[in-house]
Amino acid sequence: MRFKSFRNRPPSATRITLIALAAIVAFSSIHAIAQETLYSDYPQKRGKVETLQWNDLPSWLTLSMELRGRTEGQTSFNYTQDGDRIYELTRVYGAVEVRPTSFLTGYLQFIDTHALGLPTHVVASNMRDAFDLRQGYLDLHGRPGGVPVNIFVGRQELKFGSERIIGISDWTNNSRSWDGFDARIGDKNRIDIFSTSVVAVHSTSLDKHGAGLNFHGAYGSITTWIPKVHLSPYVLVHTARGVTSNQGIKGNEIETTFGTEIEGSLPAHFSYEANASLQRGSYSNNSIHAGQNFDKLYYTLAKVPWTPRIGGEFDYATGNNNANANVIATYDQSYPSNHNAFGLVDLFGYANIRQERINLDLRPRKNFTMLFQGGFLNLAQKNDSIYSGSGSVTLKPPTGGFTTTNLGHEFDASAKYVYHNHIVANIGVGHLFPGEVLIDNKHGAAETIGYFSLTYRFRVDKQAETSTIQK
């Protein structure tokens, strides 16, 4: 169903959420599964996919669906003073998986998303996609020489590690997918070798990628070489034709990103995560010299009620100081899952930015987690732009650059509750206290976001215990 205008039929966000809750609760009493005791870090999902049984279904066929509704309220929508908005984001995934042979699986998934309560002209490209193909691939799998191998060909997800470099951006209504192939070799220690092109969302026509495959890479996952350490080295190559250099010369871009992500546990209830990468290459006649680094250190009070986990975080992505017109130093964030990387307000991307943040996780119950965060946001370079979560320019610097690097401070509080193992409720509020960079350049309206969402996932098999391979 496609909504082209909401002026004649304004939806009630509260009513929609209540209807969704009633519909979801109706399914919640079947096949309970124990809930994992994980913290509320994005982008990990919580809850279980409820397994339903339909005896008339062929054994080689699986049906699945995900339903999500999220009510959001924002002040200063799109940096507009007094531009308060309340709206409902709805998302439906439906999928069919077929297994004609022991070595071949086919998967098709549709997406249907809407932003109810927003005028069409302010609906962002990541909010609405009326009934389209999100995934459609063949999975050829086997164990040559005893080594697990999967080759995915078609439209698919790519998500690795913390998803700060490559992820599907599940928080957005239209989460990301790619066209191309991915060869996955190994199990506990594995490597993904892929050649793809990201799918561009077109809300009123079929989604499609650009001309040719232009995003390639190898992403490793090593879990057994070093005790209690997960190591993920990666090399990524991004290409583009017809770019224009700082001197106005047209040419091609070849950008290579090489780096490593590492996470693990330390003695005395400490844990950590870190990721660092460098970018080198050419942008027409300009050279690329950029990089990023984020580090997280946590301490868990294991014997204290609610199991508090206290963490500190540092994020840095280079910006361009424009000292050398032949060098491009702004970090290209690739395709990350950026939600809550720089606060729940989600105004900033991973380019020309520096952040220090403190986190507090609490787990009052096994199925209930809370997260509190305080972030201090700054530009990496005063002579470069502010970038959005999509990587586009939000605000260019004035002549001579910004007078300060202070973007502002943010406080966020969120919670996640899993009801009967399958219904996931999320609630949160975030507030950005704008700094001098925003205030002095007509973007200084304080921004607050609040949200409440419900998610339910289920699958239907001939026998409930049937297992499948998911991308």
Side-chain angles (χ1 to χ4, degrees):
M1 185 175 184
R2 183 170 297 176
F3 296 90
K4 296 186 177 180
S5 174
F6 303 109
R7 294 175 181 170
N8 297 327
R9 297 178 60 190
S12 167
T14 303
R15 182 182 62 192
I16 292 169
T17 301
L18 291 174
I19 293 173
L21 177 60
I24 291 171
V25 171
F27 289 102
S28 65
S29 60
I30 307 174
H31 302 292
I33 306 174
Q35 168 65 17
E36 295 182 50
T37 58
L38 296 174
Y39 286 96
S40 54
D41 298 330
Y42 181 83
Q44 298 170 345
K45 288 188 175 182
R46 296 295 181 269
K48 300 291 185 179
V49 178
E50 185 164 21
T51 304
L52 308 177
Q53 184 171 335
W54 185 9
N55 293 329
D56 293 333
L57 205 65
S59 59
W60 45 265
L61 178 67
T62 296
L63 305 175
S64 61
M65 184 163 283
E66 176 177 322
L67 307 173
R68 189 178 80 179
R70 185 167 73 236
T71 303
E72 290 189 359
Q74 289 194 49
T75 64
S76 308
F77 188 79
N78 285 342
Y79 290 103
T80 303
Q81 184 72 43
D82 299 323
D84 299 354
R85 299 282 187 180
I86 297 178
Y87 50 92
E88 181 82 8
L89 298 176
T90 64
R91 188 174 81 182
V92 178
Y93 288 160
V96 56
E97 179 181 283
V98 295
R99 300 172 292 276
T101 71
S102 61
F103 57 84
L104 182 66
T105 299
Y107 186 79
L108 288 172
Q109 183 188 59
F110 75 81
I111 182 174
D112 187 67
T113 61
H114 296 280
L116 308 179
L118 284 177
T120 304
H121 70 278
V122 300
V123 174
S125 60
N126 63 8
M127 289 182 173
R128 179 171 176 251
D129 193 12
F131 195 79
D132 216 316
L133 177 67
R134 181 174 177 271
Q135 292 191 81
Y137 62 82
L138 294 177
D139 169 18
L140 182 65
H141 47 85
R143 299 181 64 89
V147 178
V149 175
N150 291 78
I151 299 176
F152 302 93
V153 180
R155 183 165 295 183
Q156 58 194 279
E157 295 181 341
L158 295 178
K159 49 184 180 179
F160 302 109
S162 64
E163 298 189 35
R164 287 289 297 271
I165 306 299
I166 305 175
I168 63 172
S169 191
D170 184 67
W171 181 261
T172 60
N173 231 19
N174 303 333
S175 59
R176 192 181 291 123
S177 59
W178 286 260
D179 287 341
F181 75 85
D182 175 17
R184 179 174 298 170
I185 304 168
D187 186 10
K188 292 182 179 180
N189 298 322
R190 84 180 198 205
I191 184 171
D192 284 73
I193 301 172
F194 57 87
S195 181
T196 61
S197 184
V198 71
V199 175
V201 173
H202 302 279
S203 60
T204 58
S205 61
L206 292 177
D207 298 345
K208 56 185 178 182
H209 67 268
L213 303 180
N214 57 21
F215 185 59
H216 325 277
Y219 210 106
S221 177
I222 303 168
T223 62
T224 64
W225 289 5
I226 307 173
K228 299 181 180 180
V229 172
H230 187 173
L231 187 65
S232 299
Y234 56 88
V235 177
L236 311 173
V237 178
H238 183 265
T239 62
R241 296 180 179 179
V243 302
T244 302
S245 71
N246 291 331
Q247 293 76 28
I249 299 173
K250 288 190 177 296
N252 298 327
E253 178 188 15
I254 302 178
E255 175 191 88
T256 302
T257 304
F258 49 94
T260 299
E261 183 168 2
I262 184 171
E263 62 177 326
S265 58
L266 297 168
H269 305 292
F270 281 95
S271 59
Y272 64 92
E273 179 183 352
N275 189 312
S277 62
L278 295 175
Q279 287 179 341
R280 296 294 184 266
S282 59
Y283 192 89
S284 184
N285 65 305
N286 297 154
S287 61
I288 298 172
H289 290 264
Q292 66 81 30
N293 168 243
F294 72 81
D295 307 283
K296 301 179 182 181
L297 180 65
Y298 295 99
Y299 175 69
T300 302
L301 286 76
K303 297 182 179 180
V304 175
W306 294 14
T307 321
R309 187 179 68 161
I310 303 169
E313 177 180 346
F314 175 76
D315 303 83
Y316 183 84
T318 58
N320 203 341
N321 63 10
N322 293 312
N324 186 343
N326 293 313
V327 175
I328 294 176
T330 303
Y331 178 72
D332 177 3
Q333 66 175 4
S334 296
Y335 300 105
S337 293
N338 257 339
H339 171 65
N340 198 25
F342 304 103
L344 292 178
V345 175
D346 284 336
L347 290 180
F348 308 110
Y350 200 26
N352 189 34
I353 197 166
R354 188 185 83 239
Q355 175 184 238
E356 298 84 26
R357 183 160 70 173
I358 54 175
N359 306 314
L360 173 62
D361 286 289
L362 298 173
R363 192 174 65 220
R365 296 179 60 184
K366 191 163 64 172
N367 61 341
F368 179 38
T369 56
M370 295 187 294
L371 175 62
F372 301 91
Q373 301 170 304
F376 305 87
L377 295 156
N378 291 274
L379 294 174
Q381 294 288 344
K382 293 191 289 185
N383 294 316
D384 200 357
S385 301
I386 299 172
Y387 295 87
S388 70
S390 65
S392 60
V393 173
T394 298
L395 180 63
K396 292 183 178 181
T399 302
F402 298 109
T403 59
T404 176
T405 62
N406 182 18
L407 286 172
H409 310 129
E410 180 158 342
F411 174 77
D412 306 297
S414 58
K416 188 183 299 283
Y417 179 72
V418 182
Y419 179 71
H420 282 201
N421 300 305
H422 306 115
I423 302 170
V424 183
N426 287 278
I427 189 169
V429 62
H431 181 80
L432 174 69
F433 301 89
E436 290 92 337
V437 172
L438 298 175
I439 294 172
D440 295 344
N441 293 276
K442 300 180 181 180
H443 281 62
E447 174 112 9
T448 301
I449 185 172
Y451 64 84
F452 174 71
S453 73
L454 295 168
T455 304
Y456 173 63
R457 294 175 292 161
F458 70 90
R459 52 177 289 171
V460 183
D461 289 296
K462 181 179 180 65
Q463 294 181 332
E465 64 271 19
T466 300
S467 62
T468 62
I469 299 174
Q470 281 194 332
K471 182 73 168 73

